[in-house]
Amino acid sequence: MLLPASLFLAVFVCWPLLQFIYNSFFTYNPISDAPHEFVGFGNYITAFTSAAFGNSVWRTIAYTIIVVFCEFALGLTVALLFSALGNASRVFRTIFLYPLMIAPIVAGLLWRFLLIDNSGIVNQILYEAHIIPSPNSIGWLSDPHIALFSVALPDIWLTTSFITLVLFAGLQNIPGDIIEAARIDGARYPTLLIRIVIPMLRPVIAVALIVRGVDAARAFDVIVVQTNGGPQNATETLSLLVYNTQIANGDPGLASAMGTLYLIGMLIVSVAAVMLIWRPGSDT
């Protein structure tokens, strides 16, 4: 029964990944027929010493933190609200999940039109509300200081419902008698949330944060359709840097080295998240 799935993973996942890592030790031109030149760890050294790579790492980290923090805060709040409403929240849960049906590239285009400087709906609403002096006062996608946050908005809007769904499912598995016993002992809601609910949600929180963290760290289409890495490379994350190095600069060896380092970094962060948040084998 596992043979078809194993073959699929071997052909479409494992082999391309091994080939990707293998290419990182060579330099070659993908267009010409020139032979591959073995450079050892030369591409990795170039990546580590590249200012563009270092800056993209920090942008990726900042983007991931912004997205995951906002989604978790909003998702936990809405999940607690839905849990308190019980069956009365069915309709609201259905409506809240609608953004998950939208393709990321469509969401990126939608938010680009909403945030565009001189004719965006967001700036127009703020202007009509007398919050900003003119419709082009805030350069959401053209100001390097806020562009990274702006391109994160579609991602937050799209997948906050995913975090909500996962956390809401986890809340349904918390025994009601534990909550009731704590209330009888005089525990107030903040104490219940911090001392009982969140600790019992640790495995669910770990899964949600790892899945969304990895997904946010590799964000590509949402950013490309909005800014294509601009302005002034302010939104060029690692995914875009690897793509531009491969396609625009025509250096697949260096792009493979960057991508391999990217993969190793995400694996390390995922393992750390499991050990720190989930704490397998821990009773507390």
Side-chain angles (χ1 to χ4, degrees):
M1 295 294 290
L2 293 176
L3 183 60
S6 300
L7 290 175
F8 179 86
L9 290 175
V11 174
F12 294 102
V13 178
C14 295
W15 172 247
L17 178 60
L18 292 175
Q19 186 67 37
F20 186 75
I21 297 174
Y22 175 79
N23 289 339
S24 67
F25 296 101
F26 294 86
T27 180
Y28 61 96
N29 190 326
I31 299 177
S32 68
D33 294 330
H36 290 36
E37 179 184 351
F38 180 74
V39 294
F41 289 97
N43 287 324
Y44 291 92
I45 295 174
T46 301
F48 271 121
T49 57
S50 169
F53 182 78
N55 292 334
S56 294
V57 168
W58 288 114
R59 291 190 201 103
T60 303
I61 293 174
Y63 179 88
T64 304
I65 291 174
I66 292 171
V67 169
V68 174
F69 175 80
C70 292
E71 289 180 357
F72 179 75
L74 294 173
L76 179 60
T77 302
V78 178
L80 291 171
L81 178 61
F82 287 163
S83 182
L85 291 175
N87 290 333
S89 66
R90 288 179 178 178
V91 175
F92 299 105
R93 292 202 305 265
T94 302
I95 296 174
F96 198 72
L97 291 177
Y98 279 165
L100 282 176
M101 305 177 189
I102 301 175
I105 194 168
V106 175
L109 287 171
L110 171 64
W111 279 86
R112 180 183 178 183
F113 290 124
L114 291 175
L115 298 175
I116 196 168
D117 297 352
N118 55 356
S119 59
I121 297 176
V122 172
N123 274 357
Q124 187 63 38
I125 292 175
L126 294 176
Y127 172 70
E128 295 292 340
H130 304 288
I131 297 176
I132 58 176
S134 66
N136 58 355
S137 295
I138 303 177
W140 296 101
L141 301 177
S142 60
D143 186 349
H145 297 95
I146 63 173
L148 191 65
F149 172 77
S150 300
V151 296
L153 291 176
D155 208 345
I156 296 170
W157 175 69
L158 271 177
T159 47
T160 295
S161 52
F162 167 78
I163 298 289
T164 302
L165 181 64
V166 173
L167 296 179
F168 178 77
L171 288 171
Q172 305 313 299
N173 293 324
I174 297 179
D177 53 350
I178 296 179
I179 303 295
E180 187 62 27
R183 285 176 175 168
I184 293 174
D185 289 340
R188 296 184 179 275
Y189 189 80
T191 304
L192 289 173
L193 180 63
I194 297 173
R195 301 295 296 274
I196 297 178
V197 175
I198 291 181
M200 297 190 72
L201 281 178
R202 270 207 311 257
V204 178
I205 291 173
V207 171
L209 293 184
I210 290 171
V211 171
R212 279 303 303 137
V214 171
D215 193 43
R218 64 181 183 85
F220 177 80
D221 40 9
V222 171
I223 300 177
V224 166
V225 298
Q226 293 185 92
T227 61
N228 196 28
Q232 302 174 20
N233 296 328
T235 59
E236 186 182 55
T237 58
L238 275 172
S239 295
L240 272 73
L241 179 64
V242 172
Y243 172 81
N244 290 329
T245 303
Q246 167 82 28
I247 304 301
N249 300 336
D251 194 344
L254 180 58
S256 298
M258 291 178 174
T260 302
L261 294 172
Y262 191 13
L263 174 62
I264 294 173
M266 287 196 292
L267 287 174
I268 294 173
V269 172
S270 298
V271 172
V274 170
M275 300 306 296
L276 294 175
I277 302 175
W278 191 341
R279 304 178 197 170
S282 175
D283 295 330
T284 58

